[in-house]
C-alpha cells in the first residue's frame, strides 16, 4: 500500500486538482505531487503571508498555478470542466481558530460554502475518481477526555473554525450518501473521503498566531515568546505526516473505491502528545541562547486536550507516523535556519521530502 500511494508508479501523469496550493500544507503537497510526476493544477488565493513557503520554495514551478476564490462556483465549474481532474485534494480553507472569531462570516463562507462549491463542481462535471476533503482534528465535540477520538465520535466545535470544519464533514457525508453512494459507484465512479489531522509543524509556516511560527519569529528578533495556553495538549506532527496520509488515501480511493470512503484520522503516536510548554522547551533546547518565554492569557476559548485514534489508517492504509516530535522540531528548525542563511529553499524543501520518503 505504501509503495502504491507514495510512488511515482501511481502518481506519474495523474491529473490532480489541488485547492489551497499556496498555503503552508498546500505548498508542501504541491511540491510532493510534482516530485512524484503528477500533473498538478493548483487553485487558491494569493499566499496569505509575507514571506511564504509558496514563493520561497518556488512551488509554482512545474505546476499549473491558478488563482481564484472557492466561494465562486462559476469559476470552479469552469476549472473542473477544463482540467478534468482524476483526483481532487481539497485543502483551501480559512485555517486559523483565532481569525475565525474575528471573521466568522468569512470563515463559514470559505470553509463551508467553498467546500459545497467544490463538491458541486465535481458532481456536475463528473470524471473525478477520488476526492479527499481535508478538515481537522477539531471537528470532534471535544469533551476534554483523556482517550483519543475515533472517526465515529460525535462532531461539534466550540469556535467558528472548528464548527465550520464539522459542517464540512456533515456536508461531505451528505454528498456521499446522496450523489456518490456505494451501490451506484459504477454509475458515478467517485469515492469521497474526509481527512482529519492534528497540529502540523514544519519549515515554511509563517501563519500568525501559530505556536512554532510565533516562537521562531520572536526568538529570531531576540525577544521572548508569549504563550497563551502553555498547558494545552495537542497532537503535534510534522506536516509531511498527514500529507502522506492524504496521498495514500487518495490513491486507495482511486484504485479500490468505496472501501476507503468516509472519515479518516491521521494523528501522531501517543509519545508525541505534548503540551505547548513542553514543545517550546524542546525547541529551546535546540536554539542557541533562546531568549525565553513569557506567559499571557487567551481571551478566546481554546481546547485543553485533544487526541486522535488513527487505528483505521494504520490498519487499512498501512500509514503510520515516521518522525518523532524531536525529529520534527529539528527539521522545522533546520529549514528556518537554512532560510536565514539565504539557501535555495526549493532545494532544502525537496531534500527534506526525500529524507522523509527514505523513512518509509
Amino acid at each position: 500500500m505504501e509503495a502504491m500511494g507514495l510512488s511515482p508508479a501511481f502518481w506519474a501523469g495523474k491529473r490532480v486538482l489541488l485547492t489551497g496550493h499556496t498555503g503552508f500544507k498546500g505548498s508542501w503537497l504541491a511540491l510532493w505531487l510534482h516530485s512524484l510526476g503528477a500533473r498538478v493544477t493548483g487553485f487558491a488565493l494569493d499566499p496569505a503571508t509575507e514571506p511564504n513557503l509558496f514563493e520561497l520554495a518556488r512551488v509554482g514551478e512545474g505546476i499549473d498555478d491558478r488563482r481564484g476564490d472557492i466561494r465562486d462556483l462559476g469559476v470552479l465549474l469552469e476549472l473542473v470542466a477544463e482540467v478534468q481532474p482524476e483526483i481532487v485534494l481539497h485543502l483551501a480553507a480559512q485555517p486559523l481558530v483565532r481569525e475565525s472569531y474575528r471573521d466568522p462570516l468569512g470563515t463559514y463562507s470559505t470553509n463551508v460554502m467553498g467546500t459545497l462549491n467544490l463538491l458541486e463542481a465535481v458532481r456536475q462535471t463528473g470524471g473525478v475518481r477520488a476526492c479527499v476533503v481535508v478538515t481537522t482534528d477539531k471537528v470532534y465535540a471535544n469533551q476534554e477526555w483523556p482517550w483519543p477520538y475515533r472517526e465515529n465520535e460525535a462532531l461539534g466545535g466550540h469556535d467558528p473554525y472548528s464548527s465550520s470544519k464539522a459542517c464540512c464533514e456533515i456536508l461531505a457525508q451528505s454528498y456521499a450518501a446522496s450523489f456518490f453512494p456505494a451501490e451506484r459507484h459504477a454509475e458515478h465512479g467517485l469515492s469521497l473521503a474526509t481527512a482529519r489531522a492534528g497540529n502540523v509543524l514544519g519549515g515554511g509556516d509563517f501563519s500568525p498566531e501559530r505556536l512554532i511560527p510565533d516562537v521562531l519569529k520572536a526568538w529570531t528578533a531576540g525577544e521572548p515568546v508569549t504563550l497563551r495556553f502553555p498547558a494545552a495538549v495537542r497532537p503535534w506532527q510534522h506536516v509531511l505526516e498527514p500529507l502522506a496520509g492524504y496521498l495514500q488515501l487518495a490513491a486507495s480511493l482511486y484504485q479500490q473505491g468505496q472501501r476507503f470512503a468516509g472519515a479518516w484520522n491521521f494523528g501522531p503516536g501517543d509519545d508525541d502528545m505534548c503540551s505547548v510548554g513542553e514543545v517550546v522547551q524542546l525547541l529551546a533546547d535546540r536554539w542557541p541562547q533562546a531568549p525565553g518565554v513569557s506567559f499571557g492569557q487567551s481571551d478566546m476559548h481554546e481546547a485543553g486536550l485533544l487526541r486522535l485514534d488513527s487505528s483505521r489508517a494504520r490498519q487499512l492504509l498501512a500509514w503510520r507516523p515516521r518522525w518523532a516530535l524531536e525529529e520534527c522540531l529539528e527539521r522545522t528548525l533546520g529549514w528556518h535556519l537554512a532560510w536565514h542563511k539565504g539557501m535555495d529553499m526549493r532545494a532544502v524543501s525537496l531534500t527534506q521530502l526525500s529524507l522523509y520518503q527514505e523513512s518509509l
Side-chain angles (χ1 to χ4, degrees):
M1 190 71 66
E2 291 176 356
M4 181 267 290
L6 298 174
S7 168
F10 172 79
W11 288 100
K14 291 288 190 302
R15 298 185 305 277
V16 179
L17 174 60
L18 171 62
T19 71
H21 71 294
T22 61
F24 170 53
K25 290 175 75 172
S27 290
W28 274 109
L29 188 52
L31 277 176
W32 201 343
L33 284 164
H34 179 254
S35 74
L36 292 170
R39 294 165 54 188
V40 181
T41 297
F43 181 76
L45 299 173
D46 293 338
T49 64
E50 179 57 46
N52 57 81
L53 176 60
F54 183 83
E55 292 173 346
L56 290 176
R58 306 191 305 280
V59 175
E61 293 182 6
I63 72 169
D64 182 8
D65 176 19
R66 308 286 187 98
R67 301 300 168 88
D69 195 324
I70 58 171
R71 292 175 291 187
D72 190 331
L73 175 60
V75 170
L76 273 175
L77 285 167
E78 292 178 3
L79 177 69
V80 175
E82 175 193 348
V83 174
Q84 292 290 311
E86 302 166 84
I87 297 172
V88 173
L89 296 159
H90 177 47
L91 275 66
Q94 192 298 96
L96 302 173
V97 171
R98 292 173 70 82
E99 177 62 22
S100 76
Y101 282 105
R102 291 186 287 265
D103 184 16
L105 182 60
T107 298
Y108 282 105
S109 62
T110 296
N111 294 354
V112 182
M113 294 308 298
T115 299
L116 176 59
N117 286 342
L118 177 78
L119 292 175
E120 186 60 15
V122 167
R123 183 183 76 86
Q124 290 192 29
T125 304
V128 176
R129 288 181 55 174
C131 180
V132 177
V133 174
V134 174
T135 61
T136 175
D137 61 341
K138 297 175 181 63
V139 298
Y140 294 105
N142 193 355
Q143 306 298 320
E144 303 278 349
W145 55 39
W147 51 86
Y149 291 86
R150 295 173 296 179
E151 288 89 346
N152 59 355
E153 306 279 4
L155 300 174
H158 183 283
D159 58 88
Y161 167 73
S162 303
S163 169
S164 73
K165 286 296 195 172
C167 290
C168 292
E169 291 280 348
I170 296 171
L171 176 58
Q173 291 172 14
S174 173
Y175 258 66
S178 301
F179 305 116
F180 313 121
E183 61 270 20
R184 300 209 319 263
H185 187 259
E187 172 189 337
H188 58 73
L190 175 67
S191 297
L192 174 64
T194 59
R196 307 164 180 175
N199 289 42
V200 294
L201 312 176
D205 187 2
F206 296 96
S207 299
E209 299 175 327
R210 277 187 179 157
L211 178 63
I212 301 302
D214 284 354
V215 170
L216 296 180
K217 182 178 180 181
W219 288 357
T220 299
E223 301 171 352
V225 65
T226 300
L227 301 182
R228 298 187 306 269
F229 203 3
V233 176
R234 296 286 185 267
W236 309 100
Q237 57 191 157
H238 194 274
V239 63
L240 297 181
E241 303 277 26
L243 296 187
Y246 305 164
L247 291 173
Q248 290 175 253
L249 176 57
S252 298
L253 289 167
Y254 184 95
Q255 292 204 327
Q256 301 186 53
Q258 294 289 335
R259 178 188 174 203
F260 292 91
W264 296 81
N265 285 339
F266 297 101
D270 289 343
D271 290 344
D272 293 326
M273 293 294 302
C274 295
S275 71
V276 168
E278 289 170 330
V279 169
V280 174
Q281 183 58 55
L282 285 170
L283 196 60
D285 293 341
R286 291 159 173 78
W287 184 282
Q289 298 177 328
V293 174
S294 63
F295 298 94
Q297 287 196 334
S298 176
D299 56 350
M300 302 175 184
H301 175 271
E302 297 185 49
L305 177 63
L306 181 60
R307 299 172 61 202
L308 292 179
D309 183 327
S310 303
S311 300
R312 187 182 186 211
R314 289 171 181 263
Q315 293 174 12
L316 298 182
L317 292 173
W319 173 91
R320 63 179 177 85
R322 304 291 177 166
W323 283 354
L325 180 58
E326 289 80 1
E327 185 164 8
C328 166
L329 292 172
E330 288 173 4
R331 300 297 180 199
T332 302
L333 183 57
W335 193 102
H336 184 79
L337 295 176
W339 169 53
H340 274 279
K341 292 176 183 176
M343 296 177 66
D344 181 337
M345 297 315 297
R346 182 179 178 90
V348 170
S349 302
L350 290 173
T351 296
Q352 291 203 350
L353 262 174
S354 296
L355 289 170
Y356 182 81
Q357 289 179 287
E358 289 172 5
S359 70
L360 298 176

